[in-house]
């Protein structure tokens, strides 16, 4: 109930006013904290000179982000530009060979960046999983795929295999884990699709074309083999109307996001501040809540920028890659929480949906989530923080189903039926607000640190109760209502679009 129900405009206006005011207030607290802490001894390593002409320093705590747009920037631009150029020439001259061009260029780029021995190492894993796929046993393919993935995550095999990289540079470890991990997932997808469609007789060449597509190689996103093969095999692909405009718009948004993050880090040191817990403990509650929230928003922006750049190139190649993850601001259910839509699609197709079915029964859902987060733990690299993150999010996903089942029973179902649709929407938004902060806390464990998360929980939920806790939940409730209104509007627009198509 209440999903498609509109709330009064005045009420939504009040929610907008409360939310914008709260964000501005928390932002002012963070700005003041960043200014006060800029010269602290604990900040020296990660707050470096930035815009010196106005005396602003910059938060450089995120090693990957800094490397992407400083020392490694020219390499990214050069390799992706080369891919786009050669892809365009091949599409014009010999479109039937474009998939081969993608693979050859990608393999040469990997050799140039990581060295020939690293390429041979990945070819060994590709050939191994291809041979396993010939047996036609999905359980064997998945098992060997997970064993192959474990070899890149656990010692002593990871130490031995990392020795195959003959280059030495700042992002060597990041590119090694990204290229090898995604290679294993792609090879496993190929093997499972080969088992599911034995009549199609996929070859080793198909696997290599799939794996060495450069834009997806190091950082994803991952497309399942069936989708990639169907799209890249089109001899004369045709762009939908307005596609080039959408590609330019996406590229422009990625550039704007990069510039916005650069500006943001000159004023808000959201990644450095959590490293000094004594300083964090002196922050007002509103600034602390904003700090926790902004850490998750930044991680989403980082993923959105990465997906945006890669997806722009992929769409120029006539592919339809996975979309960027849903913004954390719009999340209030665990079922939609993920920071990599490609891996989420991979896990859902081969593990989660396969075991959980319709995700309506408690026991199968429990088994599906445990299996899914076990594989996710292996993907992220087993350690105490990842174990904790997996357990918390696995519990959150199951707890949602348990609450849903409980709400469908008497007397709760009867109570909701007696409510108006607008009131039902308001009640659900209250639970959505509490769920939102559970999502924030559970993911802050891995995105920042368990110690910082513990401090946030202590301040906002325990020592801050009831005043701070209820104030934050009310602000979050306003945000959830605005998100629900946006979802309602989009759903109505989609229905109108479908009705119009039927009439035509």
């Amino acid at each position: 109930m209440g999903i498609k129900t509109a709330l009064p405009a005045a009420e939504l206006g009040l929610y907008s006013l409360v939310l914008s005011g709260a964000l501005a207030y928390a932002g002012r607290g963070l700005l003041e904290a960043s200014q006060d802490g800029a010269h602290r001894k604990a900040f020296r390593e990660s707050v470096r000179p930035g815009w010196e002409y106005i005396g602003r320093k910059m938060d450089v705590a995120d090693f990957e982000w800094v490397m992407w747009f400083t020392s490694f920037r020219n390499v990214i631009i050069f390799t992706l530009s080369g891919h786009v150029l050669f892809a365009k020439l091949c599409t014009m001259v010999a479109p039937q060979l474009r998939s081969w061009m993608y693979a050859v260029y990608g393999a040469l780029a990997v050799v140039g960046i990581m060295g020939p021995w690293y390429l041979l190492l990945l070819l060994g894993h590709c050939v191994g999983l291809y041979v396993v796929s010939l047996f036609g046993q999905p359980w064997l393919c998945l098992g060997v795929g997970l064993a192959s993935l474990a070899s890149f995550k656990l010692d002593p095999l990871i130490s031995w295999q990392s020795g195959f990289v003959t280059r030495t540079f700042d992002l060597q470890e990041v590119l090694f884990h990204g290229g090898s991990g995604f290679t294993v997932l792609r090879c496993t997808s190929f093997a499972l699709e080969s088992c599911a469609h034995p009549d199609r007789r996929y070859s080793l060449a198909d696997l290599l074309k799939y794996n060495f597509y450069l834009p997806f190689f190091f950082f994803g996103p991952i497309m399942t083999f069936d989708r990639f093969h169907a799209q890249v095999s089109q001899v004369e692909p045709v762009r939908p109307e307005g596609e080039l405009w959408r590609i330019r718009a996406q590229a422009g948004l990625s550039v704007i996001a990069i510039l916005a993050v650069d500006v943001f880090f000159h004023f808000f040191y959201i990644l450095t501040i959590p490293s000094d817990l004594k300083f964090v403990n002196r922050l007002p509650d509103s600034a602390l809540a904003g700090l926790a929230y902004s850490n998750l928003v930044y991680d989403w922006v980082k993923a959105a920028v990465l997906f945006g750049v890669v997806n722009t190139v992929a769409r120029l190649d006539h592919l339809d890659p996975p979309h960027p993850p849903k913004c954390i601001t719009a999340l209030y259910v665990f079922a939609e929480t993920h920071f990599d839509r490609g891996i989420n699609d991979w896990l859902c197709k081969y593990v989660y949906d396969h075991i959980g079915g319709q995700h309506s029964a408690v026991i199968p859902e429990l088994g599906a989530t445990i299996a899914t987060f076990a594989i996710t733990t292996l993907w992220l690299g087993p350690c105490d923080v990842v174990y904790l993150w997996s357990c918390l999010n696995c519990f959150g996903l199951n707890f949602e189903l348990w609450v849903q089942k409980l709400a469908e029973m008497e007397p709760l179902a009867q109570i909701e039926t007696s409510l108006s649709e607008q009131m039902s929407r308001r009640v659900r938004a209250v639970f959505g607000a509490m769920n939102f902060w559970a999502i924030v806390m559970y993911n802050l464990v891995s995105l920042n640190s368990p110690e910082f998360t513990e401090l946030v929980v202590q301040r906002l939920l325990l020592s801050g109760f009831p005043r701070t806790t209820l104030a934050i939940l009310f602000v979050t409730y306003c945000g959830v209502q605005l998100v629900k209104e946006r979802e309602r509007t989009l759903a109505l627009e989609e229905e109108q679009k479908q009705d119009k198509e039927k009439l035509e």
Side-chain angles (χ1 to χ4, degrees):
M1 291 180 63
I3 296 176
K4 297 183 179 181
T5 303
L7 294 179
E11 183 177 344
L12 293 173
L14 175 63
Y15 294 155
S16 300
L17 183 63
V18 170
L19 181 62
S20 57
L23 290 176
Y25 185 71
R28 189 184 71 171
L30 275 179
L31 179 60
E32 292 174 352
S34 298
Q35 291 174 338
D36 294 341
H39 301 287
R40 287 177 65 85
K41 184 177 180 180
F43 288 10
R44 288 179 183 175
E45 291 297 322
S46 52
V47 177
R48 303 286 180 83
W51 295 339
E52 296 183 358
Y53 49 88
I54 61 172
R56 299 302 311 181
K57 294 186 176 183
M58 182 180 181
D59 191 340
V60 295
D62 189 339
F63 168 77
E64 286 184 19
W65 182 272
V66 173
M67 289 297 102
W68 286 350
F69 300 107
T70 54
S71 60
F72 211 67
R73 176 187 57 200
N74 293 336
V75 176
I76 295 173
I77 294 175
F78 178 77
T79 53
L80 290 182
S81 298
H83 173 90
V84 172
L85 176 61
F86 284 109
K88 183 63 176 178
L89 290 174
C90 187
T91 302
M92 294 171 60
V93 177
Q96 69 277 10
L97 298 177
R98 67 189 184 104
S99 60
W100 277 110
M101 191 287 302
Y102 297 156
V104 172
Y105 183 87
L108 292 175
V110 171
V111 170
I113 296 172
M114 305 294 286
W117 290 106
Y118 180 70
L119 177 66
L120 291 176
L121 171 66
L122 297 188
L123 285 174
H125 283 272
C126 291
V127 172
L129 276 162
Y130 171 74
V131 172
V132 171
S133 71
L134 298 178
F135 291 95
Q137 299 296 326
W139 63 269
L140 181 61
C141 295
L142 184 60
V144 173
L146 294 179
S148 181
L149 181 61
S151 72
F152 287 108
K153 302 296 181 179
L154 303 172
D155 279 325
L157 288 177
I158 184 176
S159 300
W160 174 68
Q161 293 184 102
S162 62
F164 283 81
V165 181
T166 56
R167 303 282 192 268
T168 301
F169 50 93
D170 291 332
L171 282 177
Q172 174 183 324
E173 185 176 355
V174 174
L175 297 184
F176 171 81
H177 286 289
S180 56
F182 279 111
T183 289
V184 172
L185 292 188
R186 284 188 287 264
C187 291
T188 305
S189 176
F190 169 86
L192 292 172
E193 293 298 332
S194 296
C195 295
H197 307 285
D199 55 309
R200 298 182 183 177
R201 298 184 180 276
Y202 297 124
S203 65
L204 178 61
D206 293 324
L207 172 57
L208 297 180
K209 294 176 190 177
Y210 170 50
N211 185 61
F212 289 102
Y213 179 69
L214 182 62
F216 295 164
F217 184 80
F218 287 110
F219 298 110
I222 184 172
M223 289 178 67
T224 54
F225 174 75
D226 55 329
R227 289 185 57 205
F228 180 87
H229 183 72
Q231 294 175 27
V232 83
S233 298
Q234 297 177 14
V235 178
E236 296 183 0
V238 178
R239 294 192 189 281
E241 185 178 353
E243 177 70 5
L244 284 176
W245 182 89
R246 287 189 289 270
I247 292 174
R248 287 193 291 266
Q250 184 179 49
L253 287 174
S254 297
V255 173
I256 292 173
I258 293 170
L259 296 176
V261 170
D262 187 74
V263 173
F264 186 86
F265 279 162
H266 280 86
F267 293 91
F268 299 92
Y269 306 147
I270 61 169
L271 302 182
T272 297
I273 291 176
S275 64
D276 188 347
L277 295 182
K278 291 183 179 180
F279 183 73
V280 171
N281 205 29
R282 299 207 305 263
L283 295 178
D285 292 340
S286 59
L288 182 59
L291 181 62
Y293 166 72
S294 59
N295 267 257
L296 264 72
V297 172
Y298 166 69
D299 196 75
W300 170 80
V301 171
K302 181 179 175 181
V305 167
L306 178 61
F307 273 65
V309 172
V310 171
N311 286 4
T312 298
V313 177
R315 290 170 70 181
L316 286 172
D317 292 336
H318 302 274
L319 297 180
D320 182 22
H323 298 291
K326 191 173 182 180
C327 180
I328 182 65
T329 304
L331 291 176
Y332 53 89
V333 291
F334 277 91
E336 297 179 359
T337 304
H338 52 265
F339 293 92
D340 188 321
R341 197 181 295 269
I343 294 177
N344 180 75
D345 293 345
W346 191 98
L347 288 169
C348 286
K349 181 171 185 177
Y350 299 123
V351 182
Y352 185 56
D353 292 342
H354 183 74
I355 299 175
Q358 299 298 319
H359 306 293
S360 57
V362 173
I363 300 302
E365 178 71 3
L366 180 61
T369 52
I370 291 175
T372 300
F373 279 101
I375 295 175
T376 305
T377 300
L378 181 60
W379 163 257
L380 294 174
C383 63
D384 292 342
V385 171
V386 175
Y387 295 146
L388 178 59
W389 174 86
S390 293
C391 290
L392 290 174
N393 282 272
C394 183
F395 168 76
L397 193 57
N398 281 280
F399 188 70
E400 277 185 348
L401 179 61
W402 301 341
V403 172
Q404 179 185 341
K405 291 294 184 183
L406 184 63
E408 294 172 354
M409 298 178 181
E410 300 295 343
L412 295 180
Q414 183 63 35
I415 293 175
E416 185 176 18
T417 304
S418 65
L419 299 176
S420 66
E421 291 190 348
Q422 290 184 343
M423 186 56 66
S424 175
R425 170 173 162 170
R426 295 185 184 104
V427 172
R428 287 176 176 265
V430 171
F431 287 97
M434 292 187 288
N435 217 31
F436 175 87
W437 278 101
I439 293 171
V440 171
M441 298 303 178
Y442 290 179
N443 287 280
L444 203 59
V445 169
S446 63
L447 296 179
N448 202 287
S449 70
E451 294 77 16
F452 174 65
T453 307
E454 183 181 358
L455 190 151
V456 173
V457 172
Q458 175 68 30
R459 285 277 305 277
L460 301 186
L461 302 183
L462 299 179
S463 62
F465 185 85
R467 182 179 176 182
T468 299
T469 306
L470 295 179
I472 290 174
L473 284 178
F474 177 66
V475 172
T476 308
Y477 165 84
C478 295
V480 171
Q481 286 288 23
L482 294 175
V483 171
K484 282 179 172 286
E485 185 64 21
R486 176 61 176 167
E487 291 175 346
R488 187 191 70 83
T489 302
L490 292 175
L492 289 177
E493 290 177 354
E494 185 64 25
E495 287 183 2
Q496 293 174 358
K497 182 180 178 181
Q498 292 177 356
D499 293 340
K500 185 177 179 180
E501 290 177 351
K502 291 179 181 179
L503 292 175
E504 293 177 352

